[in-house]
Amino acid sequence: MSTIENYLAPSSIDDAAAALAAGSATIVAGGTDLMLQAGSGQKEYAPTLINIQKITEMRGVSLDGDTIRIGALTTITDLLTDEIIAEHLPVMATMADKFASDQIRNAGTVGGNICNASPAGDGIVPLLMYKAEAVLASKPNGSTETRKVPLDEFFTGPGKSVIQENELLIGVDIAVPPAGFVGGFGKFGPRPALEIAMAAVGLGGVVKDGVISDVRVAFGAVAPTPIRSAETEAALEGKKLDETTISAAGEIASSSISPITDIRASDWYRRHLIRVMTEEILNDVS
Amino acid sequence: MDQIVEKPDTLIGKPIPKPDAPDKVVGKTTYINDMVLPRMLIAKIKRTDRVHAKILSVDISAAEKVPGIVAIATAENSPKGLIGVLKDNPPLKGDKVRCIRDEIAGVAGETEEAVDEALKLIKVEYEDLPGVFDPEEALKDDAPLIHDDKPGNLSLTFDFEHGDISKAEKDSDIVLEEKYELHYVTHTCMGPGCVIADFDTHGKLTIYTQTQYPYNYKMDLAPALDISAGDIRVIQPPVGGAFGSKLDVYPFEPIAVYLAKKARRPVKLFFSREEEFIASPTRQPARVYIKQGAKKDGTITFRDVNVYLNNGGYTSWGATIPAVMMRTMTGHFRIPNVEFHSKAVYTNNPFAGSFRGYGNVQATYVTATLMDKMAEELGMDPIEFRLKNAQKPGERTPQNSLLKTAALADCIKIGAEKTNFLEKHAANVAAREKPGRIRQGIGIATSIHNAGGAKIHKSDGCGTILTMDDYGRATVITGASEIGQGIDAVITQLVSEELGIPTSDVIIANNDSAIGPWDVGVHASRTTFIAGNAARNAAVKAKQQILAAAARQSNVSIDKLDLRGGHVVQKDNGVSVTKLDRLLRQMHFAGDDAELVMVSEYYEPPSELEDKNHVGDISAAYSHGAYITELEIDTLTGGVKLHKMTCVQDVGKVINKLGIEGQMEGGIAQGIGYGLSEELIIEEGIVKNPNFRDYKVVTAPEMPEIECHFIEDDEETGPFGAKGISELPCIIPGASIANAVYNAIGVRFDNPPITPEKIVRALHGDKIEAAE
Amino acid sequence: MSAKVDITFTVNGAVKQVSVPANMSALDMLRDQLDLKGAKEACGEGECGACTIIIDDTSVCSCLMYAADCDGRTIETIEGVQTEDGLDPIQQAFVEHGAVQCGYCTPGMVMQAKHMLNKNPNPTEGEIQRGLEGNVCRCTGYRKIIDAVAEVARS
Ligand SMILES: Cc1cc2nc3c(=O)[nH]c(=O)nc-3n(C[C@H](O)[C@H](O)[C@H](O)COP(=O)(O)OP(=O)(O)OC[C@H]3O[C@@H](n4cnc5c(N)ncnc54)[C@H](O)[C@@H]3O)c2cc1C
Ligand code: FES
Ligand code: FES
């Protein structure tokens, strides 16, 4: 295990960004991924460990005009009880209810889930569905700057993303979904929650007079990163949600992906589950 | 005025909390994993990363130089003795590694960091050898040889023949032939493996261990150490579970001793959870070929069973499970003609030990699902077919188990009635024809298990010493170990019942082999029965001594006296003759007549060893169970939701209601895991899922409602009529679930665990072929 | 060795000041530096709950929390649950309902049960089961634990 030479616990985004600008740092939020990965040697610590938990401005959900900001330090448990989430982004709460266990939900953060960039990161799936944008802060020239990256352009591979060494994820921004927007999240495992997803689906759109539009479909655990499925979206966009559309969408959803086979599930079963869950959510919202 | 002591309610059958529970709920109990001795070193094991290879060299020179490293043990610098059931396992490997667990070196140091660093610096050179991982492959002539002195890779074989199966097959109206593949599961005790070794200056060893058989443990450990078994003192601190996993000596234990000897300091060696998954024993996997015949009227005619056991690299108790499998394969249903043959075959897999249910989990999965299938083929219902063949009280099995109080038929009938089995079963079958995503299922399975010990050693006994102090307290020194199962509570209850003192006045001492009398160990559901009998008999003796003294003093005849509420009383009217503590002091300080209440008992159950043909009534009693599972299946995802498990079991007598229910429920959780979710995945000898993420033990949300019905048929030889009960709850659920799954979806699984993916593949298999 | 971090926090009502390696877990600190060995390490991977503690009113797996992150916070461990008056009602219920066998999971179970009841004093049976989903018990089959928690919720 690599050694940590320096430990910092900044209390503002500005201080954290300044510390990151100095280079060679590892960020820790809830630690539920990092501690495990560093302990098993899967990940090496950079010389400086920056604990961002004291940056209170990064925790919580806020609504500013038409934009909802979920702070990076918002815990998965927070998503279950937050009123803005319940009103505008209920699928985040559905996801949180199928996430890990109470203890892990209490410690694990939305930002950590995103930055860990696991192909099976559950939180990412509904965020892709809600068209979230990652908000990244850095302090390249002595002043703190932010940039936004749409989440569907954020991930580059398992554990990899476009986030730079000197950047901190401060939260995600989501436009308040339009009236009539409905969605769902599906994750299957024999247990209610404490499972690494074999496959996960986030699907939503505006349903009006039985027709779905503005469709967003995202899958987890079936590709090197959580993905959007443009094919499935196209198969649904502007269609009446009848049996034919739904089963065609399920078919396309499962054939558009090429998941791996591992000890958790075969590629065939993963595709099967994607189809079943896609159709299930569509039946629920139709 | 006379003091009257009312006759208290009996304690037998009452829910008595465990005496160790209060310390456990406040976090005060010091488990072996929590122990720290003065100047104690930390130790870990360098394991191989090969499954079959010649060791060319082991270089510890860099590791020795790490600051804080005190001792390193290798095959070269350690005793050469062997351990294991066939003494085929050198604790440290010097010439060859045979499975992924193999131990190359033990390292002891001042800190865990230093030890971790040193482990990385040990360099081992190997020459890889071809591996073999399947027992039938390993039997072939050209298979790699695992042990030079084990030709054909054969470990242990068991053979039993009764009647004439080929004639019976000809006389059968129907014959079913099946193959089962029973998987690896593991104990996952919550307290990971740990041992502490410490020598005194006389060269005597004190070993703090998780063992569940402290007395024979000395005998098994000594050969590896070059010291006499008599110079080993075994101390058993509280442990985080055992379930059979601690019934043998495993390499880490002698390795800790080697290090303690070299360092002349106490050494604590412990496992990480990953190591616990990789390096502790598993349940024995089995490939079972079975043929069974019956007459049209439902009479079973014969069974022909051939079993291949993947022995792994070394032989521990796993290879001996046929001794128990056989009992279920040959009996409890009437099997007039039967053959059983098994071969345990060395491979390059990790090896199995004993695990609650000991072969019977596997045997029951096979027989109970086959019984179901045969009933259907015969056009009989699953209850009728079982009742037709159930052995009755007084019958013997072909292996000569005498089923004195066999309540199998009662178990089946009560279970069927309580659950409205036949109606639901038929309705579920009918529903299979209709469209619908969710299917309901109900299934039954039964089994038999020894319930009055199991004589596999020359003695199946337990020693007990009971003494009373000057204040009316009883100390019971028993050979039986407490591993969380609750024997302390049972003994407390039996003794306080007999002596008429509160349970809080009974002290149990049973964690030090230098003090306790011999016991064979906690296994085979024997402890309540055997240690219970020993404790009760000791209490009866103590009582006699006390009452005799009271009779002398009071001139009331002994048969009119009794012990009650801390007094000696007159039996008929409860009038106190004297207070117990006062009497004890008077007995003790009586000058020349001084006597101390201090009695001993060695209880040997009325059972016999098997002869070489495996015939013998090995247990003083047998218990039967019928478990009925109700569940639903989501045919699209394959998800199984258990609704309820109704368990009927003949238990002789309930002693501690909390204890028996806890043993039932805990066993059932393990049995559910066996049937539905747990599998240690081993590919080419490598453990693929050494963590709780992918090795799925049952968690709270998956537990169904459990309803227990205990048939109290008073076993005459049991303490207050009790039998041993703790394995059946782990044995039967898997098969019961499998039969319920069949009832729901019409598919049988001969390869547990029945995972969602297996269910979906079975139901939608056609689509897979299209897709692949 | 990793850098040391000086931290100050409250454990079971007492203020503690310790110096911990930056990579150390809260569990190792509690067990090895503060000699609070009630919390157990049964997996070290967040999967079993044996190490559960309550920190600033939420339960967490202390094996996956950095010790340094305890700075300025308030921690309750199993050792702090019992009061001078005796066992906490949850502890009492665990004893009386037979919810303890080997007891290795018990400290974590009690802490998680306590946290759950703090958040939801009237849980349904299903909510109790879900509330304990992160705590593995290999001995009891959970039924008696669920009964014990339900009993506390009722009274
Ligand atoms: C038992 C168990 C069960 C789990 N179950 C699930 C599950 O069901 N679904 C699921 O999706 N995940 C699950 N996880 C994984 C994990 O809990 C989540 O990914 C969690 O959201 C991570 O958050 P954290 O705050 O703990 O991350 P940390 O471990 O603190 O960080 C994770 C990574 O992100 C980086 N990072 C964190 N925050 C930031 C930031 N603001 N800016 C830049 N980089 C940052 C860190 O450097 C690190 O590399 C489980 C983990 C465990 C141990
Ligand atoms: S030890 Fe922390 S969750 Fe298992
Ligand atoms: S009581 Fe043993 S693990 Fe729960």
Side-chain angles (χ1 to χ4, degrees):
Chain A
M1 200 192 304
S2 45
T3 55
I4 302 167
E5 288 160 20
N6 202 3
Y7 173 85
L8 298 171
S11 54
S12 69
I13 293 174
D14 209 44
D15 288 351
L20 281 167
S24 306
T26 303
I27 293 173
V28 58
T32 59
D33 278 317
L34 183 66
M35 189 104 189
L36 237 166
Q37 292 165 6
S40 68
Q42 197 184 327
K43 195 163 195 154
E44 299 255 300
Y45 288 116
T48 301
L49 183 66
I50 305 180
N51 175 2
I52 56 174
Q53 293 272 36
K54 290 190 177 170
I55 311 177
T56 44
E57 56 186 308
M58 270 169 54
R59 179 163 178 184
V61 183
S62 55
L63 181 62
D64 182 6
D66 272 350
T67 304
I68 300 165
R69 161 80 51 97
I70 304 178
L73 289 177
T74 306
T75 65
I76 309 302
T77 298
D78 292 341
L79 298 175
L80 284 168
T81 51
D82 187 88
E83 284 171 11
I84 297 171
I85 295 288
E87 188 181 343
H88 297 290
L89 309 173
V91 180
M92 289 304 288
T94 311
M95 179 281 298
D97 189 49
K98 296 179 195 283
F99 191 109
S101 63
D102 192 36
Q103 291 96 316
I104 302 293
R105 292 190 289 270
N106 290 337
T109 63
V110 172
N113 196 242
I114 296 170
C115 294
N116 189 52
S118 159
D122 289 328
I124 299 164
V125 174
L127 287 172
L128 283 169
M129 180 199 85
Y130 281 127
K131 305 183 187 177
E133 291 183 303
V135 187
L136 302 169
S138 62
K139 203 170 183 180
N141 310 306
S143 64
T144 302
E145 299 171 359
T146 59
R147 66 169 177 136
K148 287 194 181 185
V149 183
L151 214 56
D152 58 359
E153 293 166 20
F154 187 80
F155 303 103
T156 55
K160 295 206 185 85
S161 68
V162 300
I163 194 165
Q164 300 295 307
E165 248 206 1
N166 67 341
E167 282 180 321
L168 170 74
L169 176 75
I170 60 175
V172 289
D173 280 356
I174 298 167
V176 171
F181 186 92
V182 283
F185 173 80
K187 166 184 173 185
F188 177 75
R191 297 176 183 166
L194 191 56
E195 294 274 2
I196 307 290
M198 294 191 256
V201 178
L203 188 156
V206 177
V207 179
K208 214 173 144 197
D209 305 328
V211 173
I212 190 163
S213 60
D214 203 5
V215 188
R216 267 300 186 99
V217 181
F219 299 142
V222 296
T225 70
I227 51 167
R228 263 182 71 186
S229 174
E231 291 101 317
T232 316
E233 289 172 3
L236 287 165
E237 189 63 40
K239 298 270 167 61
K240 198 167 172 54
L241 280 184
D242 54 20
E243 222 175 282
T244 325
T245 310
I246 292 177
S247 86
E251 177 65 43
I252 288 177
S254 75
S255 58
S256 68
I257 49 176
S258 40
I260 56 161
T261 292
D262 64 12
I263 55 165
R264 291 183 189 134
S266 70
D267 89 346
W268 178 83
Y269 186 52
R270 288 194 153 96
R271 279 186 278 117
H272 173 84
L273 286 174
I274 289 286
R275 175 211 292 262
V276 169
M277 292 188 293
T278 300
E279 293 183 15
E280 191 169 31
I281 297 171
L282 287 168
N283 280 317
D284 282 352
V285 302
S286 68
Chain B
M1 213 188 74
D2 288 340
Q3 187 182 348
I4 310 280
V5 185
E6 296 295 333
K7 192 170 168 91
D9 272 355
T10 175
L11 288 169
I12 304 304
K14 295 282 148 50
I16 306 290
K18 281 157 57 79
D20 51 343
D23 273 0
K24 287 176 174 173
V25 296
V26 301
K28 197 170 189 304
T29 303
T30 302
Y31 291 85
I32 184 169
N33 311 64
D34 302 327
M35 281 178 65
V36 179
L37 297 182
R39 300 190 69 236
M40 185 178 88
L41 297 172
I42 297 299
K44 294 192 187 185
I45 289 174
K46 168 81 179 177
R47 294 182 191 278
T48 185
D49 54 1
R50 311 297 165 102
V51 294
H52 198 196
K54 242 189 229 157
I55 300 172
L56 302 178
S57 68
V58 177
D59 178 3
I60 59 171
S61 55
E64 280 176 321
K65 296 197 187 86
V66 173
I69 293 305
V70 178
I72 299 183
T74 60
E76 203 189 330
N77 66 18
S78 302
K80 305 280 179 273
L82 300 169
I83 57 172
V85 166
L86 291 186
K87 296 281 177 280
D88 57 7
N89 192 356
L92 286 163
K93 280 68 183 172
D95 54 347
K96 191 175 170 182
V97 294
R98 298 178 179 84
C99 73
I100 195 66
R101 280 185 197 155
D102 275 9
E103 299 78 6
I104 304 291
V107 178
E110 305 285 353
T111 63
E112 197 175 341
E113 291 73 37
V115 172
D116 286 337
E117 182 63 29
L119 288 176
K120 276 190 232 147
L121 296 175
I122 295 177
K123 294 273 169 288
V124 190
E125 284 181 316
Y126 297 102
E127 180 189 319
D128 282 314
L129 298 168
V132 59
F133 308 100
D134 180 281
E136 286 184 271
E137 290 296 319
L139 280 176
K140 291 186 176 154
D141 288 344
D142 56 351
L145 196 60
I146 314 284
H147 289 267
D148 292 345
D149 59 345
K150 305 283 181 194
N153 289 322
L154 213 51
S155 162
L156 288 172
T157 58
F158 286 78
D159 298 284
F160 175 75
E161 295 177 11
H162 176 84
D164 182 346
I165 57 165
S166 42
K167 176 164 180 305
E169 183 168 358
K170 286 194 206 94
D171 295 345
S172 302
D173 295 319
I174 104 167
V175 172
L176 289 180
E177 201 170 346
E178 301 289 334
K179 175 184 174 189
Y180 287 83
E181 199 71 66
L182 300 160
H183 59 307
Y184 282 98
V185 295
T186 187
H187 310 70
T188 73
C189 301
M190 292 309 286
C194 186
V195 63
I196 302 174
D198 189 16
F199 280 93
D200 70 10
T201 32
H202 299 286
K204 294 193 176 170
L205 171 68
T206 299
I207 188 158
Y208 301 81
T209 127
Q210 296 164 316
T211 191
Q212 52 190 107
Y213 77 122
Y215 301 94
N216 283 356
Y217 178 83
K218 300 203 275 189
M219 172 183 83
D220 287 346
L221 182 62
L225 304 182
D226 292 346
I227 64 176
S228 148
D231 288 336
I232 301 173
R233 176 177 179 189
V234 177
I235 297 191
Q236 297 166 278
V239 299
F243 316 117
S245 63
K246 283 127 177 86
L247 271 171
D248 201 355
V249 169
Y250 293 100
F252 74 102
E253 296 163 305
I255 292 172
V257 179
Y258 304 155
L259 291 167
K261 178 126 196 168
K262 286 183 197 302
R264 295 183 302 283
R265 287 171 64 176
V267 167
K268 176 179 184 175
L269 195 156
F270 56 89
F271 284 3
S272 66
R273 176 56 58 187
E274 183 182 16
E275 211 173 3
E276 180 77 12
F277 272 106
I278 294 172
S280 54
T282 65
R283 187 184 292 291
Q284 178 65 52
R287 180 173 301 150
V288 179
Y289 296 91
I290 185 167
K291 226 197 269 188
Q292 176 172 309
K295 296 276 203 193
K296 270 205 231 57
D297 70 353
T299 310
I300 296 174
T301 47
F302 78 99
R303 260 187 201 157
D304 180 10
V305 187
N306 282 286
V307 180
Y308 294 90
L309 300 178
N310 195 325
N311 192 84
Y314 306 95
T315 309
S316 180
W317 288 108
T320 71
I321 62 153
V324 173
M325 286 185 104
M326 229 193 263
R327 297 259 158 191
T328 305
M329 297 282 197
T330 60
H332 107 283
F333 291 114
R334 218 168 289 116
I335 315 289
N337 302 284
V338 54
E339 282 193 24
F340 178 100
H341 302 285
S342 77
K343 290 186 167 75
V345 192
Y346 285 104
T347 67
N348 295 112
N349 271 6
F351 55 95
S354 61
F355 190 168
R356 191 181 199 172
Y358 202 70
N360 203 356
V361 176
Q362 299 90 319
T364 297
Y365 192 90
V366 170
T367 53
T369 54
L370 190 61
M371 288 297 287
D372 230 47
K373 184 165 186 181
M374 188 157 260
E376 189 180 24
E377 301 273 330
L378 286 162
M380 291 175 86
D381 76 57
I383 302 298
E384 186 191 358
F385 177 55
R386 286 183 169 86
L387 288 175
K388 169 127 200 147
N389 291 287
Q391 289 199 285
K392 299 214 167 68
E395 282 187 47
R396 286 182 185 270
T397 72
Q399 286 186 269
N400 208 30
S401 297
L402 172 58
L403 308 179
K404 287 181 292 190
T405 51
L408 176 59
D410 291 345
C411 290
I412 296 170
K413 282 186 213 150
I414 293 170
E417 246 162 59
K418 297 275 178 200
T419 56
N420 205 358
F421 184 90
L422 286 173
E423 199 174 300
K424 288 181 188 163
H425 192 266
N428 294 338
V429 172
R432 293 209 298 250
E433 306 308 320
K434 301 190 194 112
R437 173 169 176 176
I438 306 295
R439 299 276 182 228
Q440 306 295 324
I442 187 166
I444 183 170
T446 67
S447 196
I448 180 175
H449 206 69
N450 42 271
K455 195 158 282 182
I456 53 167
H457 294 279
K458 289 189 194 93
S459 168
D460 193 24
C462 173
T464 298
I465 298 164
L466 190 156
T467 85
M468 297 207 67
D469 70 8
D470 296 337
Y471 316 102
R473 264 47 162 204
T475 297
V476 184
I477 307 169
T478 168
S481 307
E482 171 67 52
I483 52 172
Q485 88 281 34
I487 189 59
D488 288 5
V490 168
I491 289 179
T492 300
Q493 223 175 329
L494 296 173
V495 168
S496 74
E497 175 82 8
E498 221 38 90
L499 297 179
I501 56 176
T503 50
S504 56
D505 284 0
V506 180
I507 299 153
I508 309 280
N510 56 349
N511 63 358
D512 186 344
S513 73
I515 296 170
W518 193 88
D519 173 79
V520 87
V522 181
H523 73 108
S525 305
R526 67 182 281 282
T527 307
T528 289
F529 189 94
I530 294 189
N533 264 328
R536 185 184 181 201
N537 292 352
V540 168
K541 285 184 188 169
K543 182 173 175 178
Q544 286 311 309
Q545 188 183 348
I546 295 164
L547 294 185
R552 285 195 298 276
Q553 227 182 42
S554 63
N555 287 324
V556 181
S557 84
I558 185 165
D559 52 313
K560 298 222 161 61
L561 294 174
D562 202 358
L563 293 175
R564 200 179 283 176
H567 290 257
V568 181
V569 298
Q570 294 182 30
K571 228 184 236 170
D572 51 354
N573 57 16
V575 171
S576 172
V577 173
T578 176
K579 283 191 73 188
L580 176 62
D581 59 337
R582 190 156 158 249
L583 174 67
L584 287 166
R585 287 192 294 272
Q586 286 166 346
M587 291 165 71
H588 184 184
F589 303 113
D592 289 347
D593 295 331
E595 59 176 325
L596 202 59
V597 175
M598 188 169 63
V599 299
S600 69
E601 162 76 5
Y602 185 66
Y603 176 77
E604 182 72 46
S607 52
E608 59 195 38
L609 281 166
E610 286 185 351
D611 65 17
K612 62 179 188 322
N613 298 317
H614 304 293
V615 175
D617 194 10
I618 56 161
S619 187
Y622 299 87
S623 172
H624 297 79
Y627 288 27
I628 291 170
T629 303
E630 291 172 72
L631 52 70
E632 66 175 48
I633 296 179
D634 180 334
T635 54
L636 287 184
T637 60
V640 177
K641 186 169 166 31
L642 298 179
H643 293 309
K644 188 170 175 182
M645 200 166 284
T646 306
C647 312
V648 192
Q649 192 163 320
D650 64 340
V651 301
K653 184 92 190 164
V654 174
I655 302 286
N656 185 347
K657 188 160 176 296
L658 280 185
I660 196 169
E661 288 175 357
Q663 286 298 311
M664 294 290 293
E665 292 161 3
I668 288 167
Q670 293 173 348
I672 292 172
Y674 188 82
L676 287 179
S677 62
E678 291 180 38
E679 177 169 21
L680 196 68
I681 302 170
I682 297 175
E683 288 173 8
E684 307 259 288
I686 307 282
V687 180
K688 292 291 185 185
N689 55 342
N691 52 60
F692 281 123
R693 209 161 25 265
D694 292 312
Y695 184 90
K696 292 188 183 304
V697 299
V698 171
T699 59
E702 300 150 83
M703 278 307 281
E705 181 189 345
I706 293 172
E707 190 178 298
C708 297
H709 300 278
F710 298 124
I711 299 178
E712 298 193 86
D713 51 2
D714 271 317
E715 168 52 46
E716 55 182 9
T717 58
F720 291 98
K723 298 183 186 179
I725 63 102
S726 297
E727 287 175 285
L728 280 176
C730 181
I731 289 167
I732 309 178
S736 171
I737 290 168
N739 287 338
V741 166
Y742 178 76
N743 181 235
I745 59 171
V747 181
R748 295 210 178 271
F749 293 89
D750 49 21
N751 57 342
I754 307 172
T755 59
E757 175 159 359
K758 284 184 192 162
I759 289 175
V760 172
R761 281 183 172 264
L763 292 174
H764 306 277
D766 45 336
K767 289 190 209 128
I768 312 178
E769 273 156 39
E772 275 171 357
Chain C
M1 238 207 355
S2 283
K4 289 269 182 103
V5 185
D6 296 326
I7 55 172
T8 307
F9 57 99
T10 306
V11 180
N12 302 329
V15 176
K16 299 278 173 191
Q17 271 190 310
V18 289
S19 186
V20 293
N23 62 349
M24 181 181 250
S25 70
L27 178 62
D28 284 347
M29 171 188 73
L30 291 170
R31 289 178 58 87
D32 300 342
Q33 298 205 352
L34 300 182
D35 204 21
L36 293 169
K37 290 196 160 68
K40 304 286 178 249
E41 177 165 326
C43 74
E45 298 189 334
E47 297 279 348
C48 79
C51 62
T52 303
I53 60 170
I54 296 179
I55 180 154
D56 291 346
D57 297 324
T58 52
S59 61
V60 298
C61 295
S62 61
C63 70
L64 288 190
M65 178 178 179
Y66 287 87
D69 197 28
C70 295
D71 189 41
R73 310 234 244 166
T74 301
I75 294 179
E76 191 178 353
T77 70
I78 188 69
E79 288 88 350
V81 175
Q82 185 189 12
T83 65
E84 260 176 51
D85 303 333
L87 300 183
D88 177 272
I90 295 175
Q91 294 173 319
Q92 191 65 39
F94 267 59
V95 172
E96 282 168 11
H97 283 265
V100 181
Q101 288 188 29
C102 82
Y104 214 74
C105 69
T106 307
M109 281 288 180
V110 169
M111 295 313 284
Q112 179 58 20
K114 198 169 150 65
H115 170 67
M116 174 179 35
L117 290 175
N118 284 343
K119 295 277 148 176
N120 177 7
N122 294 303
T124 61
E125 180 170 313
E127 286 167 344
I128 295 173
Q129 288 176 287
R130 284 292 315 266
L132 298 174
E133 70 194 335
N135 293 73
V136 174
C137 174
R138 195 55 160 162
C139 300
T140 65
Y142 308 98
R143 296 297 341 173
K144 303 233 167 299
I145 296 172
I146 298 163
D147 290 350
V149 177
E151 151 99 28
V152 179
R154 267 196 306 274
S155 56

